[in-house]
Amino acid sequence: MKKVIALSVVAVALSGCLVTEAEKESRDAYYGDRAAAVTCYAYGTLTFEGTSTGKIVYDEGGRLTFVDAANGRLTTIEGECRVVYARGVD
């Protein structure tokens, strides 16, 4: 009986480590694609200037979400932004 309980606990612990297809696709949305230079302004004042590591996701509210190349963090910015993608290899 103790072995069954121990195996159940291990199975539950290991199942938390598995990445689902949806999670992988979500990560690919941020880490895939090409890098881009991002420059944002609010009321004429520069609020952000940096580079994304990959794809930039735009939401309905006009916000940009991407992984910042400077610190590797998921970043969301709201404002007037200019996005310039790096050239692809043709």
Side-chain angles (χ1 to χ4, degrees):
M1 183 65 172
K2 288 182 183 181
K3 285 184 180 181
V4 172
I5 293 173
L7 289 174
S8 297
V9 170
V10 169
V12 169
L14 289 177
S15 67
C17 298
L18 301 176
V19 177
T20 66
E21 275 302 310
E23 290 170 338
K24 185 174 186 267
E25 288 175 12
S26 177
R27 288 182 191 162
D28 287 345
Y30 295 114
Y31 290 101
D33 208 12
R34 296 173 291 157
V38 180
T39 308
C40 298
Y41 297 89
Y43 303 105
T45 303
L46 181 67
T47 57
F48 179 84
E49 188 170 26
T51 305
S52 73
T53 60
K55 184 175 182 179
I56 297 174
V57 178
Y58 302 86
D59 72 1
E60 304 85 29
R63 291 181 293 262
L64 308 176
T65 301
F66 58 93
V67 177
D68 188 355
N71 56 25
R73 292 183 176 184
L74 186 62
T75 304
T76 299
I77 297 177
E78 189 170 357
E80 298 174 25
C81 297
R82 178 177 181 229
V83 177
V84 179
Y85 282 94
R87 290 187 124 180
V89 177
D90 295 327

PDB file of all heavy atoms in Angstrom, residues 39-43 45 47 58 61-64 76-82:
ATOM      1  N   THR A  39      10.281  51.043 -30.509  1.00  0.00           N
ATOM      2  CA  THR A  39      10.401  52.381 -29.942  1.00  0.00           C
ATOM      3  C   THR A  39       8.994  52.870 -29.643  1.00  0.00           C
ATOM      4  O   THR A  39       8.144  52.899 -30.535  1.00  0.00           O
ATOM      5  CB  THR A  39      11.089  53.343 -30.926  1.00  0.00           C
ATOM      6  OG1 THR A  39      12.318  52.764 -31.355  1.00  0.00           O
ATOM      7  CG2 THR A  39      11.378  54.679 -30.270  1.00  0.00           C
ATOM      8  N   CYS A  40       8.731  53.253 -28.381  1.00  0.00           N
ATOM      9  CA  CYS A  40       7.385  53.679 -27.982  1.00  0.00           C
ATOM     10  C   CYS A  40       7.407  55.064 -27.354  1.00  0.00           C
ATOM     11  O   CYS A  40       8.360  55.430 -26.653  1.00  0.00           O
ATOM     12  CB  CYS A  40       6.785  52.684 -26.995  1.00  0.00           C
ATOM     13  SG  CYS A  40       6.569  51.033 -27.677  1.00  0.00           S
ATOM     14  N   TYR A  41       6.334  55.799 -27.592  1.00  0.00           N
ATOM     15  CA  TYR A  41       6.172  57.147 -27.071  1.00  0.00           C
ATOM     16  C   TYR A  41       4.815  57.287 -26.391  1.00  0.00           C
ATOM     17  O   TYR A  41       3.856  56.612 -26.750  1.00  0.00           O
ATOM     18  CB  TYR A  41       6.234  58.174 -28.207  1.00  0.00           C
ATOM     19  CG  TYR A  41       7.553  58.202 -28.924  1.00  0.00           C
ATOM     20  CD1 TYR A  41       7.790  57.369 -30.013  1.00  0.00           C
ATOM     21  CD2 TYR A  41       8.565  59.057 -28.514  1.00  0.00           C
ATOM     22  CE1 TYR A  41       9.010  57.387 -30.671  1.00  0.00           C
ATOM     23  CE2 TYR A  41       9.779  59.090 -29.169  1.00  0.00           C
ATOM     24  CZ  TYR A  41       9.998  58.251 -30.246  1.00  0.00           C
ATOM     25  OH  TYR A  41      11.201  58.267 -30.902  1.00  0.00           O
ATOM     26  N   ALA A  42       4.745  58.167 -25.423  1.00  0.00           N
ATOM     27  CA  ALA A  42       3.479  58.556 -24.796  1.00  0.00           C
ATOM     28  C   ALA A  42       3.493  60.073 -24.664  1.00  0.00           C
ATOM     29  O   ALA A  42       4.391  60.637 -24.030  1.00  0.00           O
ATOM     30  CB  ALA A  42       3.318  57.904 -23.429  1.00  0.00           C
ATOM     31  N   TYR A  43       2.543  60.716 -25.301  1.00  0.00           N
ATOM     32  CA  TYR A  43       2.439  62.176 -25.297  1.00  0.00           C
ATOM     33  C   TYR A  43       3.746  62.829 -25.747  1.00  0.00           C
ATOM     34  O   TYR A  43       4.197  63.818 -25.183  1.00  0.00           O
ATOM     35  CB  TYR A  43       2.029  62.685 -23.913  1.00  0.00           C
ATOM     36  CG  TYR A  43       0.731  62.093 -23.450  1.00  0.00           C
ATOM     37  CD1 TYR A  43       0.719  61.097 -22.476  1.00  0.00           C
ATOM     38  CD2 TYR A  43      -0.476  62.509 -23.988  1.00  0.00           C
ATOM     39  CE1 TYR A  43      -0.475  60.533 -22.057  1.00  0.00           C
ATOM     40  CE2 TYR A  43      -1.668  61.950 -23.572  1.00  0.00           C
ATOM     41  CZ  TYR A  43      -1.658  60.970 -22.615  1.00  0.00           C
ATOM     42  OH  TYR A  43      -2.838  60.411 -22.199  1.00  0.00           O
ATOM     43  N   THR A  45       6.777  61.747 -25.443  1.00  0.00           N
ATOM     44  CA  THR A  45       7.932  61.398 -24.623  1.00  0.00           C
ATOM     45  C   THR A  45       8.311  59.939 -24.861  1.00  0.00           C
ATOM     46  O   THR A  45       7.448  59.063 -24.816  1.00  0.00           O
ATOM     47  CB  THR A  45       7.618  61.596 -23.119  1.00  0.00           C
ATOM     48  OG1 THR A  45       7.220  62.955 -22.917  1.00  0.00           O
ATOM     49  CG2 THR A  45       8.818  61.280 -22.256  1.00  0.00           C
ATOM     50  N   THR A  47       9.132  56.402 -24.104  1.00  0.00           N
ATOM     51  CA  THR A  47       8.854  55.572 -22.932  1.00  0.00           C
ATOM     52  C   THR A  47       9.577  54.232 -22.980  1.00  0.00           C
ATOM     53  O   THR A  47       9.795  53.610 -21.950  1.00  0.00           O
ATOM     54  CB  THR A  47       7.344  55.308 -22.789  1.00  0.00           C
ATOM     55  OG1 THR A  47       6.860  54.698 -23.988  1.00  0.00           O
ATOM     56  CG2 THR A  47       6.602  56.585 -22.502  1.00  0.00           C
ATOM     57  N   TYR A  58       0.213  41.592 -30.793  1.00  0.00           N
ATOM     58  CA  TYR A  58      -0.618  42.775 -30.612  1.00  0.00           C
ATOM     59  C   TYR A  58      -1.969  42.327 -30.083  1.00  0.00           C
ATOM     60  O   TYR A  58      -2.569  41.423 -30.627  1.00  0.00           O
ATOM     61  CB  TYR A  58      -0.821  43.488 -31.951  1.00  0.00           C
ATOM     62  CG  TYR A  58       0.460  43.915 -32.619  1.00  0.00           C
ATOM     63  CD1 TYR A  58       1.162  43.038 -33.437  1.00  0.00           C
ATOM     64  CD2 TYR A  58       0.968  45.188 -32.416  1.00  0.00           C
ATOM     65  CE1 TYR A  58       2.344  43.421 -34.057  1.00  0.00           C
ATOM     66  CE2 TYR A  58       2.145  45.575 -33.022  1.00  0.00           C
ATOM     67  CZ  TYR A  58       2.831  44.693 -33.846  1.00  0.00           C
ATOM     68  OH  TYR A  58       3.998  45.076 -34.444  1.00  0.00           O
ATOM     69  N   GLY A  61      -6.430  45.808 -27.292  1.00  0.00           N
ATOM     70  CA  GLY A  61      -6.312  47.113 -26.650  1.00  0.00           C
ATOM     71  C   GLY A  61      -5.169  47.955 -27.174  1.00  0.00           C
ATOM     72  O   GLY A  61      -4.908  49.047 -26.686  1.00  0.00           O
ATOM     73  N   GLY A  62      -4.433  47.447 -28.173  1.00  0.00           N
ATOM     74  CA  GLY A  62      -3.329  48.202 -28.742  1.00  0.00           C
ATOM     75  C   GLY A  62      -2.008  47.998 -28.025  1.00  0.00           C
ATOM     76  O   GLY A  62      -1.043  48.705 -28.292  1.00  0.00           O
ATOM     77  N   ARG A  63      -1.955  47.048 -27.116  1.00  0.00           N
ATOM     78  CA  ARG A  63      -0.714  46.777 -26.391  1.00  0.00           C
ATOM     79  C   ARG A  63       0.163  45.812 -27.180  1.00  0.00           C
ATOM     80  O   ARG A  63      -0.320  44.960 -27.899  1.00  0.00           O
ATOM     81  CB  ARG A  63      -1.025  46.196 -25.015  1.00  0.00           C
ATOM     82  CG  ARG A  63      -1.663  47.193 -24.076  1.00  0.00           C
ATOM     83  CD  ARG A  63      -1.921  46.582 -22.717  1.00  0.00           C
ATOM     84  NE  ARG A  63      -2.939  45.544 -22.808  1.00  0.00           N
ATOM     85  CZ  ARG A  63      -4.213  45.713 -22.519  1.00  0.00           C
ATOM     86  NH1 ARG A  63      -4.641  46.885 -22.136  1.00  0.00           N
ATOM     87  NH2 ARG A  63      -5.065  44.731 -22.625  1.00  0.00           N
ATOM     88  N   LEU A  64       1.476  45.953 -27.007  1.00  0.00           N
ATOM     89  CA  LEU A  64       2.453  45.047 -27.607  1.00  0.00           C
ATOM     90  C   LEU A  64       3.011  44.149 -26.513  1.00  0.00           C
ATOM     91  O   LEU A  64       3.320  44.621 -25.422  1.00  0.00           O
ATOM     92  CB  LEU A  64       3.627  45.821 -28.208  1.00  0.00           C
ATOM     93  CG  LEU A  64       3.336  46.946 -29.183  1.00  0.00           C
ATOM     94  CD1 LEU A  64       4.631  47.632 -29.568  1.00  0.00           C
ATOM     95  CD2 LEU A  64       2.647  46.406 -30.400  1.00  0.00           C
ATOM     96  N   THR A  76       5.134  43.956 -21.778  1.00  0.00           N
ATOM     97  CA  THR A  76       3.916  44.475 -22.398  1.00  0.00           C
ATOM     98  C   THR A  76       3.973  45.989 -22.331  1.00  0.00           C
ATOM     99  O   THR A  76       4.214  46.561 -21.268  1.00  0.00           O
ATOM    100  CB  THR A  76       2.661  43.951 -21.673  1.00  0.00           C
ATOM    101  OG1 THR A  76       2.654  42.534 -21.761  1.00  0.00           O
ATOM    102  CG2 THR A  76       1.395  44.496 -22.310  1.00  0.00           C
ATOM    103  N   ILE A  77       3.743  46.626 -23.478  1.00  0.00           N
ATOM    104  CA  ILE A  77       3.834  48.082 -23.568  1.00  0.00           C
ATOM    105  C   ILE A  77       2.567  48.613 -24.227  1.00  0.00           C
ATOM    106  O   ILE A  77       2.069  48.036 -25.183  1.00  0.00           O
ATOM    107  CB  ILE A  77       5.063  48.509 -24.392  1.00  0.00           C
ATOM    108  CG1 ILE A  77       6.328  48.040 -23.698  1.00  0.00           C
ATOM    109  CG2 ILE A  77       5.087  50.005 -24.590  1.00  0.00           C
ATOM    110  CD1 ILE A  77       7.580  48.346 -24.457  1.00  0.00           C
ATOM    111  N   GLU A  78       2.107  49.742 -23.697  1.00  0.00           N
ATOM    112  CA  GLU A  78       0.949  50.414 -24.279  1.00  0.00           C
ATOM    113  C   GLU A  78       1.389  51.811 -24.674  1.00  0.00           C
ATOM    114  O   GLU A  78       2.083  52.492 -23.928  1.00  0.00           O
ATOM    115  CB  GLU A  78      -0.173  50.487 -23.241  1.00  0.00           C
ATOM    116  CG  GLU A  78      -1.466  50.961 -23.796  1.00  0.00           C
ATOM    117  CD  GLU A  78      -2.600  50.796 -22.799  1.00  0.00           C
ATOM    118  OE1 GLU A  78      -2.379  50.269 -21.712  1.00  0.00           O
ATOM    119  OE2 GLU A  78      -3.711  51.198 -23.140  1.00  0.00           O
ATOM    120  N   GLY A  79       1.023  52.237 -25.852  1.00  0.00           N
ATOM    121  CA  GLY A  79       1.402  53.570 -26.327  1.00  0.00           C
ATOM    122  C   GLY A  79       1.547  53.562 -27.828  1.00  0.00           C
ATOM    123  O   GLY A  79       1.204  52.599 -28.509  1.00  0.00           O
ATOM    124  N   GLU A  80       2.077  54.651 -28.347  1.00  0.00           N
ATOM    125  CA  GLU A  80       2.341  54.753 -29.773  1.00  0.00           C
ATOM    126  C   GLU A  80       3.711  54.152 -30.028  1.00  0.00           C
ATOM    127  O   GLU A  80       4.714  54.686 -29.570  1.00  0.00           O
ATOM    128  CB  GLU A  80       2.302  56.212 -30.210  1.00  0.00           C
ATOM    129  CG  GLU A  80       0.951  56.861 -29.993  1.00  0.00           C
ATOM    130  CD  GLU A  80       0.989  58.348 -30.304  1.00  0.00           C
ATOM    131  OE1 GLU A  80       1.847  58.773 -31.099  1.00  0.00           O
ATOM    132  OE2 GLU A  80       0.165  59.060 -29.740  1.00  0.00           O
ATOM    133  N   CYS A  81       3.750  53.025 -30.726  1.00  0.00           N
ATOM    134  CA  CYS A  81       5.012  52.309 -30.908  1.00  0.00           C
ATOM    135  C   CYS A  81       5.358  52.139 -32.377  1.00  0.00           C
ATOM    136  O   CYS A  81       4.485  51.927 -33.214  1.00  0.00           O
ATOM    137  CB  CYS A  81       4.958  50.931 -30.253  1.00  0.00           C
ATOM    138  SG  CYS A  81       4.735  51.006 -28.480  1.00  0.00           S
ATOM    139  N   ARG A  82       6.629  52.206 -32.643  1.00  0.00           N
ATOM    140  CA  ARG A  82       7.165  51.925 -33.979  1.00  0.00           C
ATOM    141  C   ARG A  82       7.915  50.612 -33.873  1.00  0.00           C
ATOM    142  O   ARG A  82       8.791  50.452 -33.026  1.00  0.00           O
ATOM    143  CB  ARG A  82       8.101  53.039 -34.412  1.00  0.00           C
ATOM    144  CG  ARG A  82       8.734  52.792 -35.755  1.00  0.00           C
ATOM    145  CD  ARG A  82       9.600  53.971 -36.148  1.00  0.00           C
ATOM    146  NE  ARG A  82      10.174  53.705 -37.452  1.00  0.00           N
ATOM    147  CZ  ARG A  82      11.440  53.849 -37.727  1.00  0.00           C
ATOM    148  NH1 ARG A  82      12.275  54.266 -36.797  1.00  0.00           N
ATOM    149  NH2 ARG A  82      11.897  53.591 -38.929  1.00  0.00           N
TER     150      ARG A  82
END
